[in-house]
């Protein structure tokens, strides 16, 4: 544990190098001990190394290496797929928020027409689960805007 902490704290090493050293340390432990501590610390270690990787604006190969060292290739594959899904979702959210702003700022539409148009477009663009998420994001966006306006 102390050796692992020392590696994680060593800022002279890149996140990729730290992940390799952590993997080597963990693989040197007896199997029962590897199993018991791996479940507890794997997520924390991965999260920390990925945050460090992001702060250094690392390349995708480096991220892949970190993930493979900490959670293995199959999990790294699943995490890459999740990254792609998040990017696609964020793109859809960004597009939606722009469209929503356009509709809400259209003075030619009454507030009733604006709400009806937004509801219709939500139905077209998002499934049931996504509509709940997008409405929550809209609420957070609106609350943030209110706070910004009240603070100025």
């Amino acid at each position: 544990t102390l050796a692992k902490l020392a590696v994680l704290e060593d800022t002279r090493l890149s996140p990729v190098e730290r992940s390799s050293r952590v993997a080597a340390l963990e693989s040197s432990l007896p199997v029962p001990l590897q199993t018991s501590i791996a479940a507890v610390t794997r997520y924390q270690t991965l999260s920390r190394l990925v945050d460090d990787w992001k702060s250094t604006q690392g390349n995708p190969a480096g991220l892949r290496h970190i993930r493979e060292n900490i959670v293995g290739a199959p999990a790294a594959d699943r995490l890459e797929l999740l990254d792609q899904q998040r990017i696609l979702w964020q793109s859809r959210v960004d597009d939606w928020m722009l469209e929503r702003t356009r509709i809400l700022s259209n003075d030619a539409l009454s507030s009733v027409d604006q709400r009806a148009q937004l509801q219709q477009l939500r139905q077209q663009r998002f499934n049931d689960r996504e509509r709940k998420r997008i409405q929550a994001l809209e609420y957070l966006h609106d609350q943030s805007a209110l706070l910004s306006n009240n603070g100025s």
Side-chain angles (χ1 to χ4, degrees):
T1 301
L2 292 176
K4 181 178 174 182
L5 287 173
V7 168
L8 289 172
E9 295 293 326
D10 191 345
T11 56
R12 295 172 297 174
L13 301 172
S14 73
V16 172
E17 291 168 324
R18 283 185 271 167
S19 73
S20 294
R21 291 191 184 182
V22 166
L25 283 170
E26 288 179 352
S27 68
S28 70
L29 295 171
V31 174
L33 191 54
Q34 284 180 32
T35 304
S36 67
I37 67 164
V40 174
T41 64
R42 186 167 284 140
Y43 174 78
Q44 293 169 335
T45 300
L46 180 62
S47 180
R48 180 167 180 175
L49 290 169
V50 168
D51 288 345
D52 291 348
W53 173 85
K54 285 178 184 175
S55 72
T56 62
Q57 298 177 344
N59 63 35
L63 179 59
R64 173 72 189 195
H65 187 78
I66 290 168
R67 287 174 168 171
E68 283 182 355
N69 280 332
I70 303 302
V71 295
D77 291 341
R78 291 189 302 273
L79 289 168
E80 285 176 354
L81 179 61
L82 183 60
D83 289 344
Q84 292 168 1
Q85 291 170 341
R86 284 179 175 157
I87 289 168
L88 290 173
W89 170 251
Q90 190 58 53
S91 176
R92 289 178 62 208
V93 168
D94 293 345
D95 290 347
W96 169 252
M97 291 305 233
L98 287 172
E99 181 69 11
R100 180 177 180 263
T101 299
R102 187 190 64 73
I103 291 168
L104 292 174
S105 62
N106 185 346
D107 294 332
L109 296 173
S110 70
S111 62
V112 171
D113 290 338
Q114 289 172 342
R115 284 192 301 273
Q117 194 170 15
L118 289 172
Q119 184 63 25
Q120 179 185 10
L121 287 173
R122 266 190 223 102
Q123 291 289 112
Q124 291 171 356
R125 293 187 184 188
F126 304 104
N127 64 35
D128 289 339
R129 193 183 94 244
E130 291 172 337
R131 276 194 296 279
K132 290 176 185 174
R133 289 177 69 191
I134 204 71
Q135 287 175 315
L137 291 170
E138 290 172 8
Y139 175 80
L140 292 172
H141 176 268
D142 294 347
Q143 293 303 308
S144 176
L146 277 175
L147 290 174
S148 294
N149 291 336
N150 287 338
S152 49

